[in-house]
């Protein structure tokens, strides 16, 4: 029997189920993080799992702001936006992506359809309302050198030809100058591993309670067998 006798049949059944779910989830979610390269068309281990390369690619501008490219929607591989990011929650960061978007209450930068002129990233979409931070009809900017978010009232304050599409940030430029981030992209991944972590916690708790009880039980039976060997033949 060995050490396995101390865990019981039901505990070992749930342990096998949990391990199977963990392996499947790593294949579906975890391994896709390392093979989702924009310049390739790699898939994870089994294509029938429908886990092809992600259409969302994130590139680190610095340690708190990144570019987001959605290749399923972008025309000419244009960058969708820049946004703030931070480290994903432990332990999900080890399986679902090392980084995540910042939530609304965490603040940060959200700038759509970015253009870049020198150290300044800006949008050509003027604010259609006043939100307290940016005036009506102003243009949001982000200074990559200082990390400051601001605005201009007219794009000509940035450059005479700032309206030109030649300053639009594209994925091809990012591939040459920025690193691809491991990024949390799937809520189903977090749900799957949350279930696994709960099952694992249950297994640990069950072992902490059940193993001492079985150890005591087996020791008691062994002593009884030693005291009454003939009665137990």
């Amino acid at each position: 029997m060995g050490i396995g006798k101390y865990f019981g049949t039901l505990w070992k059944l749930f342990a096998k189920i949990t391990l199977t779910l963990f392996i499947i989830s790593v294949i579906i979610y975890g391994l896709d993080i390392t093979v989702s390269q924009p310049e390739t068309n790699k898939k994870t281990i089994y294509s029938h799992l429908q886990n092809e390369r992600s259409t969302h690619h994130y590139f680190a501008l610095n340690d708190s702001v990144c570019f987001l490219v959605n290749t399923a929607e972008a025309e000419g591989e244009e960058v969708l936006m820049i946004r703030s990011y931070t480290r994903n929650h432990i332990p999900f960061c080890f399986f679902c992506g090392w980084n995540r978007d910042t939530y609304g209450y965490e603040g940060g930068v959200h700038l759509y359809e970015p253009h870049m002129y020198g150290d300044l990233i800006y949008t050509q979409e003027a604010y259609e309302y006043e939100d307290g931070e940016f005036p009506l009809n102003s243009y949001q900017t982000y200074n990559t050198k200082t990390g400051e978010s601001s605005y201009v009232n007219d794009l000509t304050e940035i450059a005479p030809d700032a309206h030109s599409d030649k300053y639009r940030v594209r994925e091809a430029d990012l591939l040459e100058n920025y690193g691809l981030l491991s990024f949390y992209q799937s809520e189903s991944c977090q749900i799957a591993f949350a279930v696994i972590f709960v099952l694992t916690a249950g297994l640990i708790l069950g072992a902490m309670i059940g193993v001492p009880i079985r150890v005591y039980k087996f020791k008691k039976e062994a002593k009884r067998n030693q005291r009454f060997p003939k009665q137990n033949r």
Side-chain angles (χ1 to χ4, degrees):
M1 263 188 164
I3 195 172
K5 67 180 181 179
Y6 297 114
F7 292 92
T9 303
L10 187 61
W11 189 96
K12 287 186 281 188
L13 175 62
F14 275 99
K16 290 178 181 178
I17 293 173
T18 302
L19 179 60
T20 301
L21 289 175
F22 175 76
I23 293 172
I24 291 174
S25 296
V26 167
I27 292 172
I28 294 175
Y29 303 109
L31 295 182
D32 191 47
I33 294 173
T34 59
V35 300
S36 294
Q37 303 299 325
E39 67 273 17
T40 69
N41 193 29
K42 294 181 180 179
K43 301 177 182 179
T44 47
I45 294 177
Y46 298 104
S47 59
H48 70 272
L49 294 174
Q50 302 299 317
N51 193 26
E52 300 181 0
R53 71 184 182 123
S54 172
T55 58
H56 285 69
H57 304 145
Y58 297 81
F59 297 85
L61 175 59
N62 52 44
D63 59 1
S64 62
V65 176
C66 65
F67 293 98
L68 165 59
V69 180
N70 185 346
T71 58
E73 298 179 4
E75 297 179 2
E77 295 185 334
E78 294 175 340
V79 178
L80 179 64
M81 66 183 301
I82 65 169
R83 68 182 311 158
S84 297
Y85 72 98
T86 186
R87 218 274 298 281
N88 196 6
H89 303 293
I90 295 174
F92 300 104
C93 58
F94 297 107
F95 305 100
C96 299
W98 192 251
N99 303 286
R100 64 169 175 82
D101 299 333
T102 53
Y103 304 126
Y105 62 83
E106 294 177 300
V109 179
H110 295 81
L111 189 153
Y112 292 89
E113 299 185 3
H115 292 62
M116 182 178 286
Y117 184 86
D119 295 325
L120 202 65
I121 297 177
Y122 63 96
T123 179
Q124 291 187 354
E125 297 294 323
Y127 265 85
E128 297 179 352
Y129 56 90
E130 187 172 350
D131 65 358
E133 184 179 0
F134 302 104
L136 177 68
N137 295 324
S138 64
Y139 300 87
Q140 186 181 0
T141 64
Y142 176 78
N143 191 307
T144 60
K145 196 169 184 179
T146 64
E148 179 185 5
S149 293
S150 188
Y151 65 89
V152 293
N153 292 310
D154 193 299
L155 289 179
T156 56
E157 296 177 36
I158 299 173
D161 59 346
H163 290 87
S164 174
D165 195 50
K166 68 181 179 180
Y167 298 117
R168 186 76 154 87
V169 181
R170 302 181 187 277
E171 185 178 22
D173 302 323
L174 302 181
L175 287 169
E176 294 181 4
N177 301 298
Y178 301 95
L180 186 67
L181 289 170
S182 168
F183 217 87
Y184 164 79
Q185 301 175 46
S186 173
E187 185 178 357
S188 59
C189 175
Q190 188 154 317
I191 292 172
F193 281 100
V195 171
I196 292 170
F197 298 146
V198 169
L199 289 173
T200 301
L203 287 170
I204 294 173
L205 181 61
M208 291 173 65
I209 297 173
V211 170
I213 292 175
R214 288 188 175 84
V215 169
Y216 173 77
K217 177 182 175 182
F218 291 141
K219 284 184 177 180
K220 188 175 180 180
E221 288 180 356
K223 287 181 180 179
R224 188 176 64 180
N225 291 337
Q226 289 176 358
R227 292 178 60 187
F228 308 102
K230 292 183 179 179
Q231 297 180 13
N232 291 282
R233 286 183 180 177

